[in-house]
Amino acid sequence: MLKRNRLFGPKTRVTFALPVDQPLGTVSVVGDFNDWLPGCHELLRRRNGTRTVSVILPPGAHRFRYLATGGVWFDDESADHVDERGSVLHL
């Protein structure tokens, strides 16, 4: 699930959220905004039964995917677009 909060100026805070137990293990969101580096934006457990991470992004299209323990890549169906190369946000 994705949540967008418009900030002052042109930037937007995007919160990436997943259930705490699916998939099991560590999950990072990786994309063009962090040079596709795993671990830069690791989703952390929250008290409400989810795990999340927030990233502040400029306007434009941003491609991303999730990377879970064991090298499991997956997309976010709530993104603006999903194709064979991953998920896309349009801000």
Side-chain angles (χ1 to χ4, degrees), residues 14 18 28 33 41 67:
V14 178
L18 294 172
S28 292
F33 48 84
H41 294 103
L67 178 60

Side-chain angles (χ1 to χ4, degrees), residues 37-56:
L37 293 174
C40 286
H41 294 103
E42 184 178 316
L43 282 76
L44 302 175
R45 178 185 290 266
R46 305 296 176 203
R47 284 181 265 172
N48 66 358
T50 65
R51 51 187 161 176
T52 67
V53 67
S54 294
V55 181
I56 296 174

Side-chain angles (χ1 to χ4, degrees), residues 13-81:
R13 177 186 297 117
V14 178
T15 300
F16 300 86
L18 294 172
V20 74
D21 60 349
Q22 292 190 5
L24 295 175
T26 302
V27 178
S28 292
V29 62
V30 293
D32 53 18
F33 48 84
N34 62 12
D35 293 326
W36 297 92
L37 293 174
C40 286
H41 294 103
E42 184 178 316
L43 282 76
L44 302 175
R45 178 185 290 266
R46 305 296 176 203
R47 284 181 265 172
N48 66 358
T50 65
R51 51 187 161 176
T52 67
V53 67
S54 294
V55 181
I56 296 174
L57 298 173
H62 301 280
R63 187 169 289 278
F64 73 96
R65 297 192 81 195
Y66 295 106
L67 178 60
T69 299
V72 177
W73 290 91
F74 60 101
D75 297 310
D76 193 321
E77 297 301 320
S78 67
D80 297 325
H81 180 76

